[in-house]
Amino acid sequence: MNDQLVINGRGFNSRLIVGTGKYRSFQEMARAHAASGADMVTVAVRRVNLTDKSKESLLDYIDRSKFFILPNTAGCYTADEAIRTARLGREVGLSEWVKLEVIGDQQTLFPDTQALIEATKVLVKEGFVVLPYTNDDLIVARRLIDAGAAAVMPLGAPIGSGMGIQNEANIRILRERITEVPLIVDAGVGTASDATVAMELGADGVLMNTAIAEAQDAVLMAEAMRDAVTAGRKAFLAGRIQKKLYASASSPLSGVVR
């Protein structure tokens, strides 16, 4: 089935996007990336060695012939910080794409949506392909699209919480109302069933890091997430049956000779 995730005209064979943080080693990270089947990997610009070539860097463990690197602005709390970080990522040759994060609260890591919209406007004007991490608010999503965002990436639950999709109704509303750009669930996934739920709700993709990196067996969990995203996508495309209060026999008796 040729069913690519298309963002800003670029096609990706996998609808799973994976991160690079929290792994026990770079070697484990590389094995998990391979097992995930993903072809896009997000990298925190502020947490990677970009200058001292004599020191080990996680970038040494990412095969750029196989993986598209998506720099992110993790750890930024103002629009100016995020804009400077995105520019740095481009200047050192990572990408003109950016997963834009502007955090508004240190404990929940919820986004500062006003600053996010402001930063999106600036970066789009500078030629960036902007994928903003946002909340599950339809109006904010609309503002981001108006600002030029190439995708909308609402959280399913707080970053790293592993609670699964806590806002199914809002994700469904976003799916129904956002058709111009891809809808990618970002944050909150804890296990494979969470990824499947996100895809069954109609998400075009799922981005995750902690659920894989902190699993007892990161490589095996990466495989599970790969299969879960694929299964959820197929179920969404297939169209589930309607829920009913009462039973409906699998083998109806109508037409049966008694």
Side-chain angles (χ1 to χ4, degrees):
M1 182 174 64
N2 184 13
D3 181 40
Q4 289 189 321
L5 169 62
V6 179
I7 305 174
N8 195 50
R10 178 170 183 143
F12 297 92
N13 292 321
S14 173
R15 291 175 178 271
L16 174 61
I17 305 170
V18 294
T20 51
K22 300 183 178 181
Y23 285 95
R24 287 165 279 263
S25 70
F26 290 148
Q27 292 82 2
E28 180 187 57
M29 178 193 77
R31 292 194 300 272
H33 285 175
S36 73
D39 46 12
M40 189 189 309
V41 175
T42 184
V43 174
V45 176
R46 300 180 69 179
R47 296 171 184 162
V48 67
N49 172 29
L50 297 171
T51 55
D52 189 347
K53 302 302 181 181
S54 66
K55 294 183 179 179
E56 189 177 48
S57 168
L58 67 84
L59 293 175
D60 299 331
Y61 293 84
I62 300 174
D63 184 346
R64 298 185 71 168
S65 68
K66 297 179 180 178
F67 296 102
F68 179 82
I69 291 182
L70 176 65
N72 72 59
T73 62
C76 294
Y77 283 80
T78 68
D80 287 342
E81 270 189 300
I83 291 167
R84 287 197 302 270
T85 302
R87 288 170 177 163
L88 175 61
R90 181 164 68 176
E91 287 170 7
V92 299
L94 290 181
S95 180
E96 73 280 3
W97 288 43
V98 61
K99 179 197 168 189
L100 183 62
E101 297 183 30
V102 185
I103 301 303
D105 179 74
Q106 191 169 14
Q107 187 170 5
T108 63
L109 300 181
F110 287 159
D112 181 333
T113 55
Q114 182 175 347
L116 187 66
I117 294 167
E118 177 187 339
T120 298
K121 290 178 179 178
V122 171
L123 291 171
V124 168
K125 287 181 180 178
E126 295 184 4
F128 282 89
V129 177
V130 181
L131 287 68
Y133 157 71
T134 184
N135 60 17
D136 56 2
D137 186 295
L138 174 64
I139 309 308
V140 172
R142 283 278 175 219
R143 298 289 184 270
L144 289 166
I145 293 170
D146 291 344
V152 174
M153 304 178 73
L155 54 82
I159 292 174
S161 68
M163 291 195 298
I165 310 303
Q166 297 295 299
N167 48 358
E168 291 191 15
N170 283 7
I171 298 297
R172 286 177 59 196
I173 290 170
L174 286 169
R175 174 67 290 160
E176 290 181 6
R177 301 290 299 278
I178 300 297
T179 57
E180 307 94 319
V181 299
L183 178 70
I184 300 171
V185 170
D186 178 11
V189 169
T191 191
S193 58
D194 301 331
T196 300
V197 167
M199 296 302 294
E200 287 178 347
L201 290 170
D204 293 299
V206 180
L207 190 155
M208 66 182 73
N209 181 67
T210 305
I212 295 175
E214 292 195 342
Q216 293 181 30
D217 186 331
V219 175
L220 189 59
M221 184 61 80
E223 292 180 3
M225 292 300 189
R226 175 197 66 200
D227 296 342
V229 167
T230 299
R233 176 65 176 174
K234 288 181 177 179
F236 173 73
L237 294 176
R240 65 158 292 136
I241 64 170
Q242 294 299 312
K243 295 181 179 180
K244 301 174 183 177
L245 182 60
Y246 296 104
S248 177
S250 297
S251 299
L253 296 179
S254 58
V256 173
V257 178
R258 294 178 181 274

